[in-house]
Amino acid sequence: MKILDWILALIASLLLLQTLYFKFSGSAESIYIFETVGIEPWGRYASGVAELVAGILLLIPRLRLYGALIAAGVISGALFFHLTSLGIVVMDDGGQLFIYALLVFLSSLGLIFIHRKEIPFISIP
């Protein structure tokens, strides 16, 4: 289980952290995405900061649950916009960003499940 924990954490963290350059540098694709959903530029910056925090927390075993919770929350928004206003394919990317979002979401859910007993104030067997 420890190996699966690390694999899921690395998948989610690496995907979150590798997209930060595009968000913070203002790439055309990032600007298009956040303009389309009506939250450019502050939504781009805020999601980038949240993804940075989540990506770092995912790499720290005792804080991994919190990173997974943040990542799942942020990526839920990304998936929502892909399925409503953006579409699966964004600017001819072949659905790559959508697939990355799905991988982060599923990895985060797996980590939340693995660490479910660490969730404060919730008693989950």
Side-chain angles (χ1 to χ4, degrees), residues 21 29 42 48 66 86 90 106 117 120 122:
Y21 171 78
E29 191 172 59
W42 300 110
Y66 302 105
L86 288 170
V90 178
L106 294 173
K117 293 180 181 175
I122 297 177

Side-chain angles (χ1 to χ4, degrees), residues 16-45:
L16 288 169
L17 296 174
Q18 69 106 17
T19 61
L20 292 179
Y21 171 78
F22 301 101
K23 277 193 179 73
F24 291 136
S25 69
S27 75
E29 191 172 59
S30 285
I31 290 173
Y32 169 80
I33 289 168
F34 287 93
E35 280 180 348
T36 301
V37 299
I39 55 173
E40 169 64 25
W42 300 110
R44 179 168 48 91
Y45 297 142

Side-chain angles (χ1 to χ4, degrees), residues 53-54 57-58 62-72 118-120:
V53 170
L57 294 178
L58 286 165
R62 66 184 180 84
L63 300 175
R64 187 163 290 153
L65 169 65
Y66 302 105
L69 289 168
I70 294 168
E118 300 169 31
I119 299 174

